[in-house]
Amino acid sequence: MSHFLLMLRVISVKVKRDDGFHIDLDDYLMGLLQVATELSRLAINSVTAGDYSRPVRISTFVAELDSGFRLLNLKNDNLRKRFDALKYDLKKVEEVVYDLTLRGLKPEDSSLKKE
């Protein structure tokens, strides 16, 4: 989750609402979960467009996001329900990567270091 904390610093998010730009923690976490859903769709569309390295990078990111959310003690609310959907998003992306691997289309690790 260190990438996410760095992102908060880059956009100058303040802890207190009175100090400047502020995002509630629940809203920020919900946004991250929605990003995972959109990335799972992008993984499928990337393969259709012939970009076979992007789904692998997306898989790594969504897996890291999932492991970060597993550290949180979420109660039964909307955030918990959205976190449950993250598992399905991760599964969808992993299936795309698995299919690429089976078809011999998964790129070598050295080609994944694109920024």
Side-chain angles (χ1 to χ4, degrees), residues 45-111:
N45 291 334
S46 296
V47 171
T48 304
D51 184 354
Y52 303 128
S53 63
R54 180 171 286 150
V56 178
R57 294 191 323 259
I58 290 172
S59 175
T60 302
F61 177 79
V62 174
E64 181 181 321
L65 189 64
D66 181 62
S67 66
F69 268 93
R70 288 182 187 276
L71 297 174
L72 301 175
N73 184 16
L74 300 174
K75 299 177 183 172
N76 289 331
D77 60 353
N78 289 335
L79 197 56
R80 176 63 193 196
K81 290 176 189 174
R82 254 332 264 127
F83 169 62
D84 291 340
L86 176 64
K87 297 172 196 172
Y88 298 106
D89 294 332
L90 178 59
K91 181 181 177 203
K92 189 186 306 184
V93 174
E94 287 176 342
E95 287 175 353
V96 170
V97 173
Y98 179 71
D99 285 345
L100 288 173
T101 304
L102 284 181
R103 298 176 198 290
L105 299 172
K106 182 179 172 188
E108 297 296 320
D109 289 337
S110 62
S111 67

Side-chain angles (χ1 to χ4, degrees), residues 5-68:
L5 296 175
L6 178 63
M7 187 172 66
L8 287 175
R9 286 187 183 152
V10 168
I11 60 175
S12 299
V13 175
K14 305 299 180 189
V15 175
K16 296 179 183 177
R17 192 177 300 267
D18 296 335
D19 291 342
F21 180 64
H22 172 78
I23 299 175
D24 290 329
L25 182 59
D26 286 351
D27 292 337
Y28 178 71
L29 294 175
M30 188 66 80
L32 288 176
L33 292 169
Q34 289 173 342
V35 164
T37 298
E38 294 304 318
L39 286 175
S40 70
R41 293 176 55 205
L42 178 61
I44 295 168
N45 291 334
S46 296
V47 171
T48 304
D51 184 354
Y52 303 128
S53 63
R54 180 171 286 150
V56 178
R57 294 191 323 259
I58 290 172
S59 175
T60 302
F61 177 79
V62 174
E64 181 181 321
L65 189 64
D66 181 62
S67 66

